[in-house]
Amino acid sequence: MYQMLDPATLTVLITGATAGIGAASARRFALAGARVIGTGRRADRLIAMRDELGPNFHPLEVDVRDNDAVIAALAGLPEALAKPNVVFANAGLALGLEPAQRASLDDWEDMVDTNIKGLLYTVHATLPGMVERGEGHVVFTGSIAGDYAYPGGNAYGATKAFVKQFSLNLLADLIGTQVRVTNVEPGMVETEFSLVRFHGDKTKSGNVYAGIQPLTAEDIAEQVFFCCTLPRHVAINRIQVFPTCQSFAGMKVQRGEA
């Protein structure tokens, strides 16, 4: 019989655990017996998750865009949680869908601060400990937008291309350390993602998923859980997950006179 890892042996740090893929992953791991440290900026949601999931969930209010805050928050963890062996750098967002020439610079900066800097701060604070202990797994929420360009995806797609390349370079650095790296790259997932992207406009957000069956946060959480509970000699480096109704787009062509 194929022997998967016992989730009870895992201490899982999840950033962006207050909604979407992060929240679904926290539930998946905690209900399977793992110890989960869930981070986010919305303390009320973290407390609600602790009430829902019980002692297997430890809420940690922190903004991953603030490196000093990340370091302090992790340093203050109880001893039983101070050595995570799964770090899921999930916190991220998309803002706006305007072409680059009309895009908001504030939106671009917010995406860079969260999707790139927040991810780097999380990894930098936790990776040395995993390497020292000779055991660990770093997981990222990437996106198919890191491979496939689309109109309006400008800065968001670029941040996810960074996540993809960083994960590959991290893998190269970690050879021989017994620390695994996985970049989970979803297609269309119906969460709060589009609501955030369109700054709370429910009509625009709803139109994104009209007439289709997109992925759910639970679909992606299941992929993350699977990758993290495989035997330690097995490493899934990249996994792209599309809803059945989606494929990559054809090349855009402008026809007629310029």
Side-chain angles (χ1 to χ4, degrees):
M1 183 176 178
Y2 197 71
Q3 190 64 43
M4 302 289 279
L5 290 181
D6 182 355
T9 65
L10 302 179
T11 299
V12 185
L13 172 68
I14 301 176
T15 67
T18 57
I21 293 169
S25 297
R27 291 186 179 95
R28 183 67 179 92
F29 279 100
L31 293 174
R35 297 171 297 278
V36 176
I37 307 154
T39 84
R41 292 179 290 168
R42 292 174 283 191
D44 57 332
R45 292 197 179 191
L46 292 173
I47 297 304
M49 290 193 69
R50 183 189 64 186
D51 293 342
E52 173 192 347
L53 298 173
N56 278 1
F57 183 83
H58 180 84
L60 190 64
E61 184 182 359
V62 65
D63 185 345
V64 295
R65 299 174 299 181
D66 183 339
N67 187 44
D68 290 339
V70 170
I71 293 170
L74 294 177
L77 285 171
E79 184 176 352
L81 299 173
K83 298 177 180 179
N85 53 5
V86 174
V87 174
F88 183 18
N90 162 74
L93 76 170
L95 293 170
L97 200 60
E98 294 291 324
Q101 64 271 24
R102 296 201 301 268
S104 161
L105 182 58
D106 288 342
D107 285 352
W108 281 6
E109 290 180 334
D110 204 0
M111 286 185 280
V112 168
D113 288 344
T114 306
N115 301 358
I116 295 179
K117 290 184 179 179
L119 178 146
L120 291 178
Y121 297 156
T122 301
V123 173
H124 197 263
T126 56
L127 184 60
M130 287 190 286
V131 171
E132 183 179 349
R133 294 187 294 273
E135 176 202 42
H137 198 154
V138 180
V139 184
F140 299 124
T141 299
S143 170
I144 63 169
D147 270 348
Y148 308 113
Y150 61 88
N154 39 74
Y156 173 71
T159 66
K160 291 305 182 177
F162 173 89
V163 173
K164 176 187 70 176
Q165 194 60 39
F166 181 65
S167 71
L168 294 173
N169 288 341
L170 199 61
L171 179 67
D173 286 344
L174 292 172
I175 189 73
T177 67
Q178 301 305 307
V179 177
R180 300 186 289 189
V181 182
T182 300
N183 188 30
V184 180
E185 305 168 20
M188 297 178 74
V189 184
E190 187 170 9
T191 62
E192 293 181 3
F193 178 86
S194 286
L195 191 63
V196 172
R197 172 169 239 167
F198 294 115
H199 300 281
D201 188 321
K202 293 183 179 180
T203 300
K204 287 184 178 179
S205 174
N207 287 340
V208 173
Y209 308 108
I212 67 169
Q213 183 176 353
L215 298 168
T216 67
E218 289 73 22
D219 292 329
I220 306 306
E222 195 63 37
Q223 309 307 313
V224 174
F225 183 83
F226 171 72
C227 292
C228 292
T229 52
L230 284 167
R232 295 206 178 277
H233 72 282
V234 182
I236 294 181
N237 303 324
R238 295 181 66 188
I239 180 168
Q240 285 194 346
V241 190
F242 285 79
T244 305
C245 64
Q246 184 184 23
S247 181
F248 52 87
M251 300 296 288
K252 186 177 182 181
V253 177
Q254 176 67 44
R255 301 189 184 277
E257 295 185 5

